[in-house]
Amino acid sequence: MTEHSPETAQFFLTAAMPCPYLPERQERKLFTHLNGRRASALHRLLTDHGFRRSQNLIYRPACEGCSACQSVRIVAEEFEAGASLRRNARRNSDLRSEETMARVTEEQYGLFHKYLEARHAGGGMTQMTYSDYEYMVEDTPVRSMLVEYRAAGTENDRGELVAVALTDVMTDGLSMVYSFFDPDLAERGLGTFMILDHIERARRAGLAYVYLGYWVKNSPKMAYKARFRPLEVQQEAVGWLRLDLSST
Protein backbone atom coordinates (compact mmCIF):
# COMPACT_ATOMS: atom_id res chain seq x y z
CA MET A 1 0.00 0.00 0.00
CA THR A 2 1.36 3.39 -0.99
CA GLU A 3 1.92 5.69 1.99
CA HIS A 4 0.33 9.11 2.04
CA SER A 5 2.65 12.07 1.54
CA PRO A 6 2.14 15.75 0.73
CA GLU A 7 2.47 14.84 -2.95
CA THR A 8 0.21 11.78 -3.08
CA ALA A 9 -2.51 12.40 -0.48
CA GLN A 10 -6.07 11.93 -1.74
CA PHE A 11 -8.62 14.44 -0.54
CA PHE A 12 -12.32 13.89 -0.01
CA LEU A 13 -15.30 16.20 0.54
CA THR A 14 -18.05 15.51 3.05
CA ALA A 15 -21.74 16.02 2.38
CA ALA A 16 -23.32 19.27 3.55
CA MET A 17 -24.49 19.34 7.18
CA PRO A 18 -25.92 22.05 9.48
CA CYS A 19 -23.19 24.42 10.67
CA PRO A 20 -22.58 24.17 14.44
CA TYR A 21 -21.45 27.79 14.68
CA LEU A 22 -23.60 29.92 12.39
CA PRO A 23 -27.38 29.45 12.18
CA GLU A 24 -28.98 28.60 8.85
CA ARG A 25 -25.60 27.78 7.33
CA GLN A 26 -24.33 24.48 5.92
CA GLU A 27 -20.82 23.13 6.42
CA ARG A 28 -18.67 20.81 4.33
CA LYS A 29 -15.18 19.58 5.11
CA LEU A 30 -12.22 18.68 2.96
CA PHE A 31 -10.22 15.84 4.48
CA THR A 32 -7.55 13.22 3.97
CA HIS A 33 -6.07 10.35 5.96
CA LEU A 34 -2.90 10.47 8.05
CA ASN A 35 -0.96 7.22 8.12
CA GLY A 36 2.43 5.73 7.39
CA ARG A 37 5.87 7.11 8.14
CA ARG A 38 5.11 10.41 6.40
CA ALA A 39 2.08 11.15 8.57
CA SER A 40 3.95 13.73 10.67
CA ALA A 41 5.24 15.58 7.60
CA LEU A 42 1.77 15.71 6.06
CA HIS A 43 0.30 16.79 9.39
CA ARG A 44 2.80 19.64 9.67
CA LEU A 45 2.28 20.78 6.06
CA LEU A 46 -1.52 20.75 6.19
CA THR A 47 -1.68 22.38 9.64
CA ASP A 48 0.33 25.22 8.14
CA HIS A 49 -2.47 25.51 5.56
CA GLY A 50 -5.26 25.68 8.11
CA PHE A 51 -6.12 22.00 8.55
CA ARG A 52 -7.03 20.35 11.86
CA ARG A 53 -6.43 16.77 13.04
CA SER A 54 -9.15 14.44 14.34
CA GLN A 55 -7.88 10.91 15.06
CA ASN A 56 -6.26 9.66 11.84
CA LEU A 57 -7.95 12.30 9.66
CA ILE A 58 -6.98 15.88 8.97
CA TYR A 59 -9.56 18.34 7.66
CA ARG A 60 -10.49 21.94 6.99
CA PRO A 61 -13.82 23.66 6.25
CA ALA A 62 -14.75 23.84 2.57
CA CYS A 63 -18.13 25.55 2.77
CA GLU A 64 -19.68 27.02 -0.35
CA GLY A 65 -19.83 30.80 -0.18
CA CYS A 66 -18.49 31.01 3.38
CA SER A 67 -15.02 31.39 4.88
CA ALA A 68 -16.00 32.32 8.44
CA CYS A 69 -13.98 29.50 10.05
CA GLN A 70 -10.38 30.65 10.30
CA SER A 71 -7.50 28.64 11.72
CA VAL A 72 -5.74 30.57 14.47
CA ARG A 73 -2.59 30.24 16.55
CA ILE A 74 -1.14 32.16 19.48
CA VAL A 75 2.35 33.62 19.09
CA ALA A 76 3.65 32.17 22.35
CA GLU A 77 6.86 34.17 22.72
CA GLU A 78 5.03 37.50 22.34
CA PHE A 79 2.02 36.66 24.48
CA GLU A 80 1.37 38.89 27.48
CA ALA A 81 -1.53 38.03 29.78
CA GLY A 82 -3.96 40.80 30.59
CA ALA A 83 -5.36 41.38 34.07
CA SER A 84 -8.21 38.86 33.80
CA LEU A 85 -5.92 36.14 32.47
CA ARG A 86 -3.42 36.79 35.27
CA ARG A 87 -6.26 36.39 37.77
CA ASN A 88 -7.16 33.09 36.14
CA ALA A 89 -3.58 31.87 36.49
CA ARG A 90 -3.51 32.81 40.18
CA ARG A 91 -6.88 31.16 40.78
CA ASN A 92 -5.54 27.88 39.44
CA SER A 93 -2.01 28.06 40.81
CA ASP A 94 -2.82 25.25 43.25
CA LEU A 95 -3.32 22.74 40.42
CA ARG A 96 -0.63 20.27 39.36
CA SER A 97 -0.20 19.31 35.72
CA GLU A 98 1.51 16.28 34.24
CA GLU A 99 2.27 15.25 30.66
CA THR A 100 1.46 11.62 29.88
CA MET A 101 1.35 9.41 26.81
CA ALA A 102 -1.88 9.45 24.79
CA ARG A 103 -3.35 6.55 26.76
CA VAL A 104 -6.82 6.58 28.28
CA THR A 105 -7.98 5.68 31.79
CA GLU A 106 -11.36 5.11 33.40
CA GLU A 107 -10.76 8.26 35.44
CA GLN A 108 -10.37 10.35 32.29
CA TYR A 109 -13.43 8.84 30.67
CA GLY A 110 -15.56 9.55 33.74
CA LEU A 111 -14.57 13.22 33.64
CA PHE A 112 -15.00 13.35 29.85
CA HIS A 113 -18.56 11.98 30.07
CA LYS A 114 -19.46 14.33 32.92
CA TYR A 115 -18.21 17.29 30.87
CA LEU A 116 -20.23 16.31 27.80
CA GLU A 117 -23.42 15.77 29.76
CA ALA A 118 -23.13 19.22 31.31
CA ARG A 119 -21.80 21.23 28.37
CA HIS A 120 -23.05 19.40 25.28
CA ALA A 121 -26.23 17.63 26.41
CA GLY A 122 -28.05 16.14 23.44
CA GLY A 123 -24.98 16.27 21.22
CA GLY A 124 -23.67 13.26 19.37
CA MET A 125 -20.55 12.99 21.52
CA THR A 126 -22.59 12.23 24.64
CA GLN A 127 -23.18 8.77 23.20
CA MET A 128 -19.47 7.98 23.09
CA THR A 129 -18.52 4.77 24.88
CA TYR A 130 -15.23 4.09 26.60
CA SER A 131 -14.01 2.44 23.39
CA ASP A 132 -15.03 5.53 21.38
CA TYR A 133 -13.08 7.76 23.78
CA GLU A 134 -10.11 5.41 23.59
CA TYR A 135 -10.20 5.62 19.81
CA MET A 136 -10.40 9.43 19.90
CA VAL A 137 -7.29 9.69 22.09
CA GLU A 138 -5.10 6.79 21.05
CA ASP A 139 -5.76 6.61 17.31
CA THR A 140 -3.05 9.13 16.50
CA PRO A 141 -0.43 8.71 13.77
CA VAL A 142 1.59 11.68 15.06
CA ARG A 143 3.29 12.62 18.31
CA SER A 144 0.51 13.32 20.80
CA MET A 145 0.27 13.65 24.55
CA LEU A 146 -2.28 14.14 27.30
CA VAL A 147 -1.86 16.85 29.91
CA GLU A 148 -3.71 16.01 33.13
CA TYR A 149 -4.55 18.70 35.67
CA ARG A 150 -5.14 17.67 39.29
CA ALA A 151 -6.13 19.31 42.54
CA ALA A 152 -3.38 19.19 45.13
CA GLY A 153 -3.10 15.72 46.66
CA THR A 154 -1.03 14.13 49.39
CA GLU A 155 2.10 12.01 49.31
CA ASN A 156 0.01 8.90 48.68
CA ASP A 157 -2.76 10.55 46.68
CA ARG A 158 -2.32 11.96 43.17
CA GLY A 159 -5.20 14.38 43.70
CA GLU A 160 -8.53 14.70 41.93
CA LEU A 161 -8.45 14.92 38.13
CA VAL A 162 -10.14 18.20 37.14
CA ALA A 163 -9.12 18.77 33.51
CA VAL A 164 -7.45 17.04 30.55
CA ALA A 165 -6.01 18.30 27.26
CA LEU A 166 -5.22 16.13 24.23
CA THR A 167 -2.36 17.86 22.44
CA ASP A 168 -0.24 17.25 19.34
CA VAL A 169 3.44 18.13 19.63
CA MET A 170 4.64 19.69 16.39
CA THR A 171 7.98 21.01 15.22
CA ASP A 172 6.89 24.63 15.67
CA GLY A 173 4.23 24.46 18.34
CA LEU A 174 1.58 22.69 20.38
CA SER A 175 -1.79 21.97 18.78
CA MET A 176 -4.65 21.64 21.26
CA VAL A 177 -6.83 18.93 19.74
CA TYR A 178 -9.48 18.58 22.45
CA SER A 179 -9.83 19.52 26.10
CA PHE A 180 -12.40 18.99 28.83
CA PHE A 181 -12.80 19.77 32.51
CA ASP A 182 -15.00 19.31 35.57
CA PRO A 183 -18.15 21.39 34.92
CA ASP A 184 -18.69 21.73 38.68
CA LEU A 185 -15.60 23.94 38.80
CA ALA A 186 -16.81 26.53 36.29
CA GLU A 187 -15.61 29.39 38.51
CA ARG A 188 -12.00 28.31 37.97
CA GLY A 189 -12.10 28.97 34.20
CA LEU A 190 -10.24 25.72 33.50
CA GLY A 191 -10.58 25.96 29.73
CA THR A 192 -8.78 29.29 29.79
CA PHE A 193 -6.20 28.00 32.23
CA MET A 194 -5.28 25.06 30.01
CA ILE A 195 -4.53 27.47 27.16
CA LEU A 196 -2.36 29.60 29.45
CA ASP A 197 -0.53 26.49 30.58
CA HIS A 198 0.08 25.39 26.99
CA ILE A 199 1.53 28.80 26.14
CA GLU A 200 4.04 28.34 28.97
CA ARG A 201 4.78 24.78 27.87
CA ALA A 202 5.45 25.99 24.33
CA ARG A 203 7.79 28.68 25.60
CA ARG A 204 9.75 26.26 27.79
CA ALA A 205 10.11 23.87 24.85
CA GLY A 206 11.27 26.65 22.51
CA LEU A 207 8.16 26.33 20.35
CA ALA A 208 6.73 29.37 18.62
CA TYR A 209 2.98 28.72 18.59
CA VAL A 210 -0.06 27.27 20.28
CA TYR A 211 -2.61 26.19 17.68
CA LEU A 212 -6.22 26.66 18.81
CA GLY A 213 -8.12 25.28 15.84
CA TYR A 214 -10.85 27.40 14.27
CA TRP A 215 -12.15 30.81 15.23
CA VAL A 216 -15.43 32.28 13.98
CA LYS A 217 -15.70 36.00 14.57
CA ASN A 218 -19.47 36.10 15.08
CA SER A 219 -19.79 32.88 17.06
CA PRO A 220 -20.17 33.21 20.85
CA LYS A 221 -18.74 29.69 21.19
CA MET A 222 -15.43 30.94 19.77
CA ALA A 223 -15.22 34.35 21.43
CA TYR A 224 -12.80 33.17 24.15
CA LYS A 225 -10.01 32.61 21.64
CA ALA A 226 -9.79 36.34 20.92
CA ARG A 227 -8.48 36.90 24.47
CA PHE A 228 -5.11 35.38 23.61
CA ARG A 229 -3.03 37.90 21.72
CA PRO A 230 -1.14 38.20 19.49
CA LEU A 231 -3.21 35.83 17.40
CA GLU A 232 -2.40 34.83 13.84
CA VAL A 233 -4.95 33.66 11.29
CA GLN A 234 -4.29 31.43 8.29
CA GLN A 235 -5.63 32.81 5.03
CA GLU A 236 -5.55 30.73 1.89
CA ALA A 237 -2.99 31.85 -0.71
CA VAL A 238 -1.59 34.39 1.76
CA GLY A 239 -0.38 32.41 4.76
CA TRP A 240 -0.42 33.39 8.43
CA LEU A 241 -1.25 37.01 9.20
CA ARG A 242 -1.55 38.91 12.46
CA LEU A 243 -5.24 39.17 13.31
CA ASP A 244 -6.52 42.66 14.12
CA LEU A 245 -8.84 42.15 17.09
CA SER A 246 -9.27 45.81 17.97
CA SER A 247 -12.91 45.71 16.91
CA THR A 248 -13.66 42.26 18.38
Side-chain angles (χ1 to χ4, degrees):
M1 180 179 294
T2 302
E3 293 180 352
H4 290 296
S5 70
E7 295 80 18
T8 64
Q10 290 183 301
F11 291 86
F12 306 89
L13 191 64
T14 66
M17 298 180 64
C19 176
Y21 304 115
L22 299 176
E24 300 180 2
R25 296 283 185 93
Q26 296 284 303
E27 72 164 359
R28 301 186 76 179
K29 294 177 181 176
L30 183 70
F31 72 94
T32 189
H33 295 272
L34 291 173
N35 56 37
R37 61 186 177 87
R38 292 191 176 94
S40 293
L42 183 59
H43 181 226
R44 173 69 185 89
L45 175 68
L46 293 181
T47 298
D48 200 41
H49 285 78
F51 281 70
R52 183 84 168 150
R53 186 182 74 83
S54 176
Q55 298 170 0
N56 64 354
L57 301 177
I58 190 164
Y59 68 92
R60 69 170 297 167
C63 308
E64 185 175 352
C66 181
S67 58
C69 290
Q70 298 178 303
S71 185
V72 292
R73 65 187 185 186
I74 304 165
V75 184
E77 61 183 4
E78 296 182 35
F79 172 77
E80 293 185 10
S84 65
L85 293 179
R86 291 196 299 270
R87 286 195 296 270
N88 178 282
R90 290 194 297 269
R91 189 182 309 127
N92 293 290
S93 61
D94 60 319
L95 299 181
R96 296 184 298 104
S97 62
E98 179 183 2
E99 295 180 10
T100 70
M101 295 179 62
R103 296 291 183 269
V104 306
T105 65
E106 291 281 359
E107 185 182 29
Q108 292 168 15
Y109 177 69
L111 182 61
F112 173 70
H113 199 267
K114 180 180 180 181
Y115 169 81
L116 292 178
E117 288 291 347
R119 293 300 183 102
H120 302 285
M125 290 184 73
T126 58
Q127 305 301 315
M128 288 178 65
T129 65
Y130 182 87
S131 294
D132 294 330
Y133 172 68
E134 185 177 42
Y135 186 66
M136 183 184 83
V137 172
E138 297 187 5
D139 186 25
T140 172
V142 299
R143 183 184 171 193
S144 301
M145 67 178 180
L146 288 172
V147 184
E148 294 186 341
Y149 300 83
R150 295 181 179 275
T154 64
E155 182 178 352
N156 299 314
D157 176 18
R158 297 179 65 196
E160 180 185 3
L161 183 68
V162 299
V164 178
L166 173 62
T167 303
D168 289 343
V169 183
M170 306 178 65
T171 56
D172 68 343
L174 300 177
S175 178
M176 299 185 70
V177 177
Y178 194 81
S179 60
F180 54 94
F181 52 85
D182 189 339
D184 293 337
L185 302 176
E187 73 284 353
R188 277 186 174 267
L190 290 168
T192 294
F193 178 68
M194 283 189 279
I195 297 175
L196 292 173
D197 179 66
H198 275 66
I199 293 171
E200 290 306 312
R201 288 176 184 277
R203 285 173 165 171
R204 291 196 299 268
L207 300 174
Y209 307 107
V210 174
Y211 291 85
L212 293 182
Y214 296 110
W215 176 71
V216 181
K217 182 177 181 179
N218 296 317
S219 171
K221 294 181 181 179
M222 298 291 192
Y224 71 93
K225 296 183 181 182
R227 301 175 66 193
F228 300 91
R229 311 181 187 190
L231 204 61
E232 291 185 346
V233 59
Q234 205 283 338
Q235 296 187 353
E236 192 172 356
V238 178
W240 293 93
L241 300 175
R242 194 65 57 96
L243 188 59
D244 181 7
L245 293 166
S246 58
S247 60
T248 299

